């Protein structure tokens, strides 16, 4: 789950920062726009956490995973590097002594600044694996050269991700369709042989600090940062959802059966930004989120 959300998951987040207006005739402060500095995700069931640190321009800078006997002081971590155009070019692995180990992924672009390939070095022993990209109209196709695994991403007329599919071994292609309402993802549909699973989201109107503007502006950039290309998963209460999730419901169209999968309790600061979220499944707390800001 951690890989799906916060390699994710998770995210290049662009916010702007405003300062007090010294010339305000009423000597009142303008509403404060905050930039996400640190995000912590905790899986309560397994007592492990993922931590993300962000630059002041909103891009993901560093990520690390913590376990029961691993703290931030003695954990290895990943560093994310970008080119002058703001595109991700490398994900680098460092040990707890701040020594560079190796590249985990390298991202290649052409002269038009379009992603052409991703080289994944995996565990450092197998691979590397190279994924190549091709483009046509509102469709992006990709193939993992060494394994011939394929995938695609469809965009709608507004440039938003509308559907994805990828090779899932002998079972064939796993597909997901995204449904929008008022420019927000309201449903994620996953078809199966007899019907489909529909993930339905209810949100509030407060600022979601993990909402990735590049999900709309540069959807491929969003995917390559937040997901493994052979394991794209848009289900869950994550950064592609504008607004903060209050409830996730799953509906099975074949059996016409629905149930509440997650309920979320959100806490906000005086500026209306999310500082804590607690996720419950069947009345048991399963996940906790905390947010710190510049």
């Amino acid at each position: 789950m951690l890989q799906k959300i916060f390699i994710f998951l998770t995210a290049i987040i662009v916010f702007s920062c405003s300062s007090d207006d010294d010339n305000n005739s009423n000597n009142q402060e303008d509403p404060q726009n905050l930039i996400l500095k640190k995000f912590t995700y905790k899986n309560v069931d397994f007592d492990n956490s993922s931590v993300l640190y962000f630059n002041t321009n909103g891009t993901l800078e560093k990520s690390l995973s913590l376990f029961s006997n691993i703290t931030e002081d003695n954990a290895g971590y990943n560093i994310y590097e970008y080119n002058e155009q703001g595109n991700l070019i490398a994900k680098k692995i460092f040990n707890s002594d701040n020594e560079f180990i190796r590249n985990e992924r390298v991202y290649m672009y052409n002269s038009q600044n379009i992603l052409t390939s991703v080289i994944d070095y995996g565990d450092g022993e197998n691979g590397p694996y190279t994924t190549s990209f091709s483009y046509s109209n509102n469709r992006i196709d990709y193939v993992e050269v060494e394994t011939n695994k394929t995938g695609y991403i469809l965009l709608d007329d507004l440039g938003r991700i509308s559907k994805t599919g990828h090779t899932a071994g002998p079972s064939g292609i796993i597909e997901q369709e995204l449904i929008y309402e008022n420019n927000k993802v309201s449903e994620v549909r996953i078809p199966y042989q007899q019907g489909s699973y529909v993930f339905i989201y209810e949100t509030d109107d407060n600022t979601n600090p993990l909402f990735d503007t590049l999900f709309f502006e540069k959807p491929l950039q969003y995917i390559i940062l937040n997901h493994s290309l052979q394991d794209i998963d848009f289900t869950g209460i994550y950064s592609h959802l504008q607004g903060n999730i209050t409830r996730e419901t799953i509906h099975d169209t074949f059996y016409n059966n629905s149930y509440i999968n997650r309920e979320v309790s959100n806490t906000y600061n005086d500026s209306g930004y999310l500082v804590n979220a607690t996720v419950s499944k069947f009345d048991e707390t399963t996940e906790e989120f905390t947010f710190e800001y510049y």
Side-chain angles (χ1 to χ4, degrees):
M1 184 176 182
L2 299 180
Q3 288 181 337
K4 292 181 180 179
I5 307 172
F6 304 116
I7 290 183
F8 257 59
L9 313 232
T10 317
I12 304 176
I13 304 164
V14 180
F15 288 105
S16 62
C17 183
S18 66
S19 61
D20 296 341
D21 184 358
D22 294 333
N23 297 318
N24 191 314
S25 60
N26 295 323
N27 197 30
Q28 293 179 346
E29 292 185 350
D30 291 333
Q32 187 178 16
N33 293 327
L34 303 179
I35 300 172
L36 186 62
K37 178 180 181 180
K38 179 181 179 181
F39 167 72
T40 303
Y41 162 80
K42 181 177 181 179
N43 186 311
V44 177
D45 293 335
F46 295 98
D47 191 27
N48 56 37
S49 301
S50 289
V51 182
L52 305 179
Y53 284 93
F54 297 86
N55 297 302
T56 54
N57 66 358
T59 56
L60 180 61
E61 175 188 20
K62 178 180 178 180
S63 65
L64 58 155
S65 296
L66 308 178
F67 303 92
S68 57
N69 60 340
I70 301 294
T71 67
E72 289 197 46
D73 292 332
N74 60 4
Y77 56 90
N78 298 308
I79 291 293
Y80 300 82
E81 292 188 354
Y82 303 84
N83 60 20
E84 292 181 354
Q85 290 73 35
N87 289 319
L88 179 68
I89 58 173
K91 179 182 179 183
K92 298 179 177 292
I93 301 174
F94 290 77
N95 65 20
S96 58
D97 293 323
N98 300 314
E99 297 171 335
F100 172 69
I101 303 300
R102 59 181 175 83
N103 287 318
E104 181 174 335
R105 291 179 182 172
V106 173
Y107 306 85
M108 310 297 292
Y109 300 83
N110 63 18
S111 58
Q112 285 75 45
N113 212 35
I114 296 173
L115 181 72
T116 57
S117 61
V118 175
I119 304 173
D120 193 332
Y121 295 91
D123 57 10
E125 297 180 1
N126 299 300
Y129 298 97
T130 301
T131 301
S132 297
F133 296 82
S134 59
Y135 303 83
S136 59
N137 297 323
N138 287 346
R139 181 183 176 105
I140 303 168
D141 288 277
Y142 56 88
V143 57
E144 191 173 78
V145 177
E146 292 80 7
T147 64
N148 207 35
K149 292 180 179 179
T150 62
Y152 68 87
I153 302 164
L154 298 183
L155 308 177
D156 64 17
D157 291 338
L158 299 178
R160 306 176 303 189
I161 301 170
S162 61
K163 191 175 182 179
T164 67
H166 64 272
T167 303
S171 60
I173 296 289
I174 290 182
E175 295 181 315
Q176 294 182 90
E177 182 180 4
L178 278 64
I179 307 301
Y180 294 85
E181 183 177 341
N182 298 323
N183 210 34
K184 300 199 304 186
V185 177
S186 59
E187 297 180 9
V188 177
R189 299 177 180 177
I190 303 177
Y192 63 92
Q193 188 172 7
Q194 294 86 6
S196 61
Y197 297 109
V198 183
F199 291 74
I200 303 166
Y201 301 100
E202 299 175 34
T203 64
D204 60 28
D205 295 324
N206 294 79
T207 299
N208 178 356
L210 277 178
F211 175 65
D212 183 356
T213 60
L214 295 186
F215 180 70
F216 291 131
E217 296 174 2
K218 293 183 179 180
L220 181 57
Q221 178 98 342
Y222 170 88
I223 286 178
I224 65 172
L225 180 63
N226 292 300
H227 299 277
S228 164
L229 287 164
Q230 297 302 333
D231 196 17
I232 297 175
D233 185 359
F234 289 114
T235 63
I237 51 173
Y238 311 125
S239 54
H240 61 282
L241 295 163
Q242 189 176 21
N244 294 303
I245 293 295
T246 57
R247 176 175 292 176
E248 177 192 70
T249 302
I250 299 178
H251 177 70
D252 187 325
T253 61
F254 180 76
Y255 293 101
N256 194 27
N257 179 45
S258 297
Y259 65 93
I260 297 172
N261 189 47
R262 292 182 175 96
E263 291 194 284
V264 187
S265 175
N266 296 314
T267 303
Y268 299 90
N269 62 19
D270 292 339
S271 297
Y273 283 76
L274 189 63
V275 291
N276 296 103
T278 302
V279 182
S280 299
K281 296 184 70 171
F282 310 110
D283 297 324
E284 294 285 338
T285 298
T286 59
E287 299 163 288
E288 296 176 348
F289 301 79
T290 58
F291 306 83
E292 299 176 25
Y293 301 90
Y294 288 104

